[in-house]
């Protein structure tokens, strides 16, 4: 993400809280920078010691296709694909990475192609998850 | 109650910034506190000092500036989004040897930690998404 | 209780139909910006599936609102009559946020 | 539109051509500035003496609802609504203003509410119109 | 002959389903950017209506293409097998434009 | 053949500018002529001199600049769209008493007449739309 080097003015300090954050991802990677910005938000929260999970629904599930070795367009030509950032999320204490089963099946996505850390959830659970986190941010 | 407002859209291109502004006005009118305005994604263009509209049209950037000044609001522009979209303050312009700076007075550049902090400290958090 | 805001037209985007299945009993839904074209669900035959979902959700105490200013700007005032959506102004919008535990923006 | 006063560097001179331009409008007014920019493009072409027509399909048909007297948000607070600009198009030699019947009926739009100059066309004609103009620009 | 480009996903936008009814016999359709998710139409049951339209249009000599680079960036290479869409690179894209009378962009 | 290319998207926010750039490269590689690049709507941000990306990333604005210089392309930025989005050249900055200017060298501000002219003069015209 290069954020650490790029944002030298971005002081990140640990925060003491019991509130948990859910980042809801509804956008596909590459077509819009929102997908990338959702990951950056989750990483920032993780770095501050916040309990942060991600929920991938609708077009957001495309973000979970494991494609770390692919060649990429534009802002991903740093060598780091969206998929590579996804796989780094657990290192920064972001998780779980929840993926809506129905969104995946509607799109004909092969579950064997998903990022290792993706956790598939039943569609009926989505409402419960949205309600159980104290803070929700949608992208 | 303490509100924080996240603005993801640029003025003019879509309606997000306009809706967010009117929402912010109504929040203050109802005697709530605005803990922070956070400009992210294309929302960073709300802080451009170079936006130029015909004089008989609403000036979205100076309108924000007035609201911020009048109510002493904390208006934070995501620094990563801003740099990538060509919105710089004096310090960043110097640091990256850029020919000018264009961050309006009243807005400040800072990192996503300020967004997370706003989410934690506020009673209510609302995002105004872009049309894309 | 979650307030769901929707800012895209159901005729061009799946935004509203993606939102509705994630609405829980007692939640509120507010249409803003181009989302207000969703007010037409009640009158347009082609929107029948969305319309049925809305009717079903109303039976679970889900409330449906539309931002009045955005309806007016688009000349849709006459669609408010008999609509399933109740108009609110910006102060009403603030109250809806104030009364909700969280806001989820669908855009 | 205020373009004349705002764009003093925008020199417009008549052009001699037999090519005709079709501006295709697929976006609703206000939600995106594209609707406004489509009108500005048509006005510029009209001012240059080009034969320019507009085709309103899909979400574009919302632009044709006559709403000249309404109060408006944001960039329309000049007092000039989108609808007012639409009604001024014929004055600048932009026309015909074609509206797709099926797009209108799908959206439950009352035909009595349309701008005076809108001309309703059958859906089967859309393909012919797209093919008959030498130049097509879509918004 | 018109080349139609589509840059939005059919799962989130009506862009592709708005485009297809306006495609004439002999035209070409090219999916780019998030439009390439439309390649899935052939494999995904929920996209059946779009899929049927595509099959019908193929019988009228309409050709369907997809931008290979955008497929690769999204990790959808395996969806190209048996797809109704033929991959082209940027030079192939330029040729499609060169061979068309006009380009109509659906976005 | 003579091509003209209309770019409606800002770099970074969506893919339109990236796709347009690669299309322009391929056009030239195939020995076609580019009559004009026309930046409209959010596409005007492609001409910002203040866009600042990490050094190890592709620099979309300077990449356009190089292509324009190398092939002596006519790169026109819609003046109305540019002013409304905070992209100014020296003359406009002076005219509107703005504190700075930020139009990259190689790009020029002009009116929609240049778009209509490109449509008339070119054999092929293609628009790269934004994600919204």
């Amino acid at each position: 993400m290069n954020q650490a080097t790029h944002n030298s003015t971005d002081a990140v300090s640990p925060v003491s809280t019991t509130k948990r954050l859910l980042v809801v991802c509804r956008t596909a990677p590459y077509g819009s920078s929102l997908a990338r910005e959702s990951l950056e938000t989750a990483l920032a929260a993780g770095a501050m010691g916040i309990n942060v999970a991600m929920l991938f629904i609708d077009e957001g599930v495309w973000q979970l296709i494991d494609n770390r070795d692919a060649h990429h367009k534009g802002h991903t030509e740093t060598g780091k694909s969206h998929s590579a950032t996804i796989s780094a999320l657990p290192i920064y204490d972001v998780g779980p990475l929840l993926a809506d089963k129905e969104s995946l099946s509607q799109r004909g996505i092969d579950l064997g192609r998903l990022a290792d850390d993706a956790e598939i959830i039943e569609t009926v659970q989505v409402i419960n998850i949205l309600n159980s986190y104290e803070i929700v941010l949608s992208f | 109650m303490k509100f924080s407002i996240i603005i993801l859209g640029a003025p003019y291109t879509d309606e997000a910034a306009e809706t967010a502004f009117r929402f912010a006005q109504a929040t203050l009118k109802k005697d709530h506190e605005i803990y922070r305005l956070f400009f992210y994604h294309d929302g960073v263009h709300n802080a451009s000092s170079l936006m130029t509209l015909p004089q008989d049209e609403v000036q979205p950037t100076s309108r924000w500036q007035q609201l911020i000044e009048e109510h002493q609001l904390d208006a934070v522009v995501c620094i990563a989004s801003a740099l990538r979209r060509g919105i710089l303050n004096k310090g960043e312009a110097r640091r990256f040897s850029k020919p000018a700076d264009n961050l309006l007075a009243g807005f400040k550049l800072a990192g996503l930690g300020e967004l997370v902090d706003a989410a934690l400290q506020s009673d209510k958090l609302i995002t105004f998404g872009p049309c894309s | 209780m979650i307030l769901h805001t929707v800012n895209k037209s159901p005729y061009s985007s799946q935004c509203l139909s993606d939102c509705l299945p994630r609405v829980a009993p007692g939640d509120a839904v507010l249409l803003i910006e181009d989302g207000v074209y969703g007010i037409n669900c009640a009158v347009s035959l082609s929107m029948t599936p969305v319309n049925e979902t809305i009717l079903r959700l109303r039976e679970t105490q889900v409330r449906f609102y539309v931002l009045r200013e955005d309806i007016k700007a688009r000349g849709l005032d006459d669609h408010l009559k008999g609509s399933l959506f109740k108009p609110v102004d910006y102060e009403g919008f603030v109250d809806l946020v104030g009364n909700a535990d969280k806001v989820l923006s669908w855009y």
Side-chain angles (χ1 to χ4, degrees), chain A, chain B, chain C:
Chain A
M1 311 296 294
N2 286 302
Q3 194 162 316
T5 51
H6 199 45
N7 296 357
S8 62
T9 55
D10 188 357
V12 170
S13 39
V15 173
S16 170
T17 180
T18 56
K19 288 188 186 173
R20 296 172 313 143
L21 169 64
L22 182 71
V23 176
V24 181
C25 298
R26 295 187 58 250
T27 52
Y30 310 121
S32 155
S33 65
L34 285 166
R36 181 170 170 176
E37 287 150 347
S38 69
L39 302 189
E40 290 181 349
T41 303
L43 286 166
M48 289 166 75
I50 309 296
N51 192 331
V52 51
M54 301 193 79
L55 174 64
F56 297 86
I57 57 175
D58 306 330
E59 292 292 272
V61 296
W62 296 115
Q63 295 187 38
L64 294 170
I65 292 183
D66 190 350
N67 191 34
R68 273 169 286 182
D69 304 324
H71 180 74
H72 300 281
K73 280 173 80 169
H75 59 263
T76 59
E77 279 192 357
T78 56
K80 250 197 176 176
S81 65
H82 194 85
S83 174
T85 308
I86 291 273
S87 63
L89 290 171
I91 300 165
Y92 295 93
D93 283 330
V94 174
L97 310 180
L98 308 167
D100 174 44
K101 194 176 187 176
E102 193 174 330
S103 301
L104 289 162
S105 68
Q106 277 173 344
R107 287 162 180 79
I109 296 176
D110 175 2
L111 301 187
R113 289 290 314 282
L114 291 192
D116 290 343
D117 297 292
E119 203 173 297
I120 298 163
I121 57 164
E122 297 293 332
T123 296
V124 289
Q125 290 179 266
V126 171
I127 289 183
N128 294 337
I129 289 161
L130 289 173
N131 277 284
S132 66
Y133 283 77
E134 288 77 19
I135 312 168
V136 175
L137 278 173
S138 66
F139 287 90
Chain B
M1 273 187 289
K2 273 195 277 191
F3 281 60
S4 282
I5 301 173
I6 304 170
I7 300 103
L8 303 184
Y12 191 70
T13 295
D14 63 37
E15 257 177 311
E18 175 70 27
T19 312
F21 180 81
R22 297 196 177 205
F23 183 85
Q25 279 186 316
T27 304
L28 296 166
K29 197 168 169 194
K30 300 220 75 169
D31 287 329
H32 294 299
E33 179 193 341
I34 293 182
Y35 180 76
R36 184 166 295 147
L37 301 171
F38 193 87
F39 297 88
Y40 194 24
H41 187 70
D42 283 356
V44 301
H45 291 298
N46 285 280
S48 166
S49 65
L50 301 184
M51 186 158 289
T52 309
L53 272 76
Q55 287 191 338
D56 60 344
E57 291 193 27
V58 170
Q59 307 292 319
T61 51
S62 31
R63 199 173 45 166
W64 278 120
Q65 214 179 14
Q66 282 160 23
L67 193 79
I68 289 163
E69 197 184 347
E70 188 183 340
H71 297 273
Q72 293 291 301
L73 302 181
D74 190 33
V76 175
V77 178
C78 171
I79 186 167
S81 288
L83 294 180
R84 290 174 185 285
R85 287 168 176 85
I87 302 292
L88 304 178
N89 62 11
K90 283 196 170 36
E92 297 300 313
R94 205 178 308 118
R95 190 151 80 93
F96 292 100
S97 309
K98 289 288 177 179
D101 57 271
N102 60 348
L103 185 76
L104 264 186
F107 294 87
K108 68 175 185 224
L109 298 182
L112 285 166
E114 301 283 304
L115 170 58
V116 177
D117 171 73
L120 294 173
Q121 303 297 333
S122 307
D123 301 307
K124 306 294 168 187
L125 182 69
I126 181 166
T127 301
F128 290 94
C131 74
S132 71
Chain C
M1 190 274 277
I2 296 181
L3 170 66
H4 303 263
T5 65
V6 176
N7 81 338
K8 294 263 209 356
S9 168
Y11 298 96
S12 66
S13 161
Q14 298 298 321
C15 203
L16 181 61
S17 34
D18 285 347
C19 164
L20 292 178
R22 281 70 176 253
V23 173
D27 280 0
V29 177
L30 170 65
L31 307 180
I32 61 172
E33 303 170 3
D34 278 353
V36 303
Y37 290 119
I39 195 174
N40 249 7
C41 297
V43 295
S44 168
L45 286 174
S46 64
M47 298 303 294
T48 307
V50 171
N51 199 10
E52 279 167 10
T53 310
I54 291 172
L55 288 169
R56 187 173 46 71
L57 286 171
R58 275 165 60 96
E59 288 168 16
T60 66
Q61 275 67 57
V62 173
R63 291 149 301 136
F64 290 89
Y65 301 92
V66 64
L67 192 59
R68 190 195 301 269
E69 278 84 346
D70 290 345
I71 284 285
K72 280 191 170 178
R74 287 159 179 81
L76 298 176
D77 314 50
D78 48 343
H79 293 273
L80 280 173
K81 288 183 224 105
S83 166
L84 304 176
F85 293 85
K86 188 184 161 192
V88 291
D89 57 14
Y90 276 92
E91 292 189 37
F93 186 178
V94 171
D95 290 339
L96 287 174
V97 175
N99 293 330
D101 297 317
K102 283 170 294 200
V103 182
L104 198 53
S105 303
W106 300 79
Y107 59 89

